[in-house]
Amino acid sequence: MLFKTTVIIGLGIIGGSLAGALKKFGVSERLIGITRSDAYKRAANIGLIDIGYPLDNLGSVLKDVDLIILAVPIRKICAFIPEIIPIVKQGCIITDVGSTKHAIIAVSNTFSREGVFFIGGHPMAGSEKTGFEAGSAELFQNRPYAIVKGENTPDEIVTKISEMVTKIGAIPIQLDSKTHDRIVAGISHLPQMLAIALMNVIGKENDQDKRFFQMSGPAFIEMTRIAGSSFSVWEDIIISNRLNVSNMLQNLTAELERLQKSVEKLSTKKDFEQANAYRKRLLNG
Ligand code: NAD
């Protein structure tokens, strides 16, 4: 196995799914979960983790482990890094699953310690649901998994975490934190904002005429699925990637204004043809 003892802090949908995947695909001999609520007890009861602890036990639990995965909201990841780095053993690897990377990598660079290795991670998988009950060991199958080095991350640590990612069925993609955050602003954060806007526009129509929701079919329901996402996770994403998200929203606003003019002129054929071609490339690689 790649690791003897792994600790996951935060057993939400991502932390819980990782716990399941590390067990199922034989990545770690022993798996410990730490949560702020009693979720660790429920996770241990169903065998998702070998043993669990509440957050107040950090010092004694973390002092002799090989891998720590931070699976909590981004600002909490940033807060845990300086708390954890001084108390772990030499050789310990710390990684995270936060949806943005620049702020997290900056904190890890500031608090780096000789012989303790931080490496950022971001599985491009998940859902609008929360909690480990909504997760699955299969969540990462064939999904990209971003790996982002810090200033002092040695290549052998990149290789080891890439091996972990491959073992759980995901596809490791190494990139720098700035590029990561710009790309996810486009492919993840912009769709989230679009779903929120679409849901609110049509929700207000429905307030006037209930038939808007009554008449809704699969296209509207699919396109607004992520409008059900929890703000508690998204707040930190928006705070830590504000400029990129704002730039992408500006691009979208310009495109929507252009499309509106095309609709008025009944000249949307080219827009459809271009979008059809891009989508083909998206699906065919
Ligand atoms: P979740 O709500 O399912 O789980 C969050 C976990 O963090 C819970 O265990 C919660 O108790 C814990 N937590 C929240 N605030 C805390 C605090 N102040 N102190 C200690 N623990 C706290 O959310 P999730 O989707 O699993 O998100 C976890 C991380 O994964 C986030 O950083 C998010 O950006 C990232 N992520 C989410 C997705 C997704 O689609 N959901 C995808 C990739 C990455």
Side-chain angles (χ1 to χ4, degrees):
M1 291 208 190
L2 272 178
F3 299 99
K4 214 164 156 225
T5 306
T6 298
V7 174
I8 301 179
I9 303 184
L11 292 173
I13 184 168
I14 299 297
S17 298
L18 264 176
L22 296 189
K23 255 191 184 285
K24 178 167 183 171
F25 300 106
V27 175
S28 181
E29 276 173 35
R30 196 156 167 267
L31 195 53
I32 300 172
I34 299 182
T35 59
R36 65 173 173 172
S37 66
D38 67 358
Y40 72 89
K41 288 185 189 161
R42 288 183 282 120
N45 280 344
I46 60 163
L48 187 63
I49 51 172
D50 296 314
I51 189 161
Y53 298 97
L55 263 179
D56 42 333
N57 259 341
L58 273 192
S60 58
V61 182
L62 297 187
K63 67 177 192 293
D64 194 29
V65 305
D66 310 293
L67 173 68
I68 298 169
I69 302 175
L70 302 172
V72 291
I74 294 160
R75 280 183 296 176
K76 196 61 202 168
I77 293 172
C78 291
F80 270 132
I81 291 170
E83 197 181 330
I84 283 173
I85 286 180
I87 57 179
V88 298
K89 70 175 181 186
Q90 285 285 300
C92 179
I93 301 175
I94 304 167
T95 187
D96 77 295
V97 298
S99 301
T100 63
K101 295 271 70 80
H102 195 62
I104 291 170
I105 292 295
V107 173
S108 79
N109 289 339
T110 304
F111 293 94
S112 70
R113 176 183 145 209
E114 183 97 34
V116 173
F117 309 109
F118 187 87
I119 179 162
H122 178 200
M124 300 305 297
S127 97
E128 75 284 9
K129 302 192 177 108
T130 57
F132 69 78
E133 291 87 352
S136 151
E138 311 289 337
L139 187 73
F140 310 102
Q141 293 301 305
N142 298 318
R143 297 286 175 215
Y145 194 122
I147 293 182
V148 181
K149 275 167 65 155
E151 263 169 20
N152 306 306
T153 316
D155 287 344
E156 60 264 33
I157 302 299
V158 177
T159 306
K160 197 152 185 193
I161 290 300
S162 302
E163 266 180 69
M164 176 192 88
V165 167
T166 307
K167 273 199 157 208
I168 62 170
I171 304 153
I173 298 179
Q174 207 192 314
L175 70 178
D176 66 87
S177 63
K178 270 197 169 164
T179 309
H180 170 276
D181 285 7
R182 197 179 117 68
I183 292 174
V184 294
I187 58 165
S188 170
H189 310 167
L190 186 63
Q192 179 63 49
M193 294 304 138
L194 186 55
I196 294 291
L198 180 59
M199 194 70 251
N200 285 339
V201 167
I202 302 307
K204 284 171 197 161
E205 292 285 356
N206 189 71
D207 288 344
Q208 306 304 317
D209 183 344
K210 303 276 173 264
R211 286 169 295 187
F212 273 83
F213 284 1
Q214 280 169 8
M215 293 278 291
S216 291
F220 183 68
I221 291 168
E222 278 165 29
M223 281 202 69
T224 55
R225 177 180 62 80
I226 53 177
S229 296
S230 146
F231 183 63
S232 63
V233 169
W234 275 94
E235 181 178 19
D236 286 16
I237 296 175
I238 295 162
I239 289 172
S240 59
N241 208 16
R242 181 171 52 161
L243 276 182
N244 284 320
V245 178
S246 173
N247 286 340
M248 286 294 169
L249 275 170
Q250 206 166 22
N251 294 347
L252 180 68
T253 306
E255 183 66 19
L256 285 174
E257 279 171 2
R258 219 189 41 72
L259 193 59
Q260 187 197 357
K261 289 198 180 97
S262 299
V263 169
E264 281 165 8
K265 287 190 276 175
L266 296 180
S267 63
T268 51
K269 186 166 182 263
K270 270 203 176 115
D271 298 301
F272 273 76
E273 283 170 353
Q274 189 179 39
N276 292 165
Y278 278 136
R279 180 145 169 90
K280 221 179 218 171
R281 272 163 61 187
L282 169 72
L283 298 181
N284 297 338

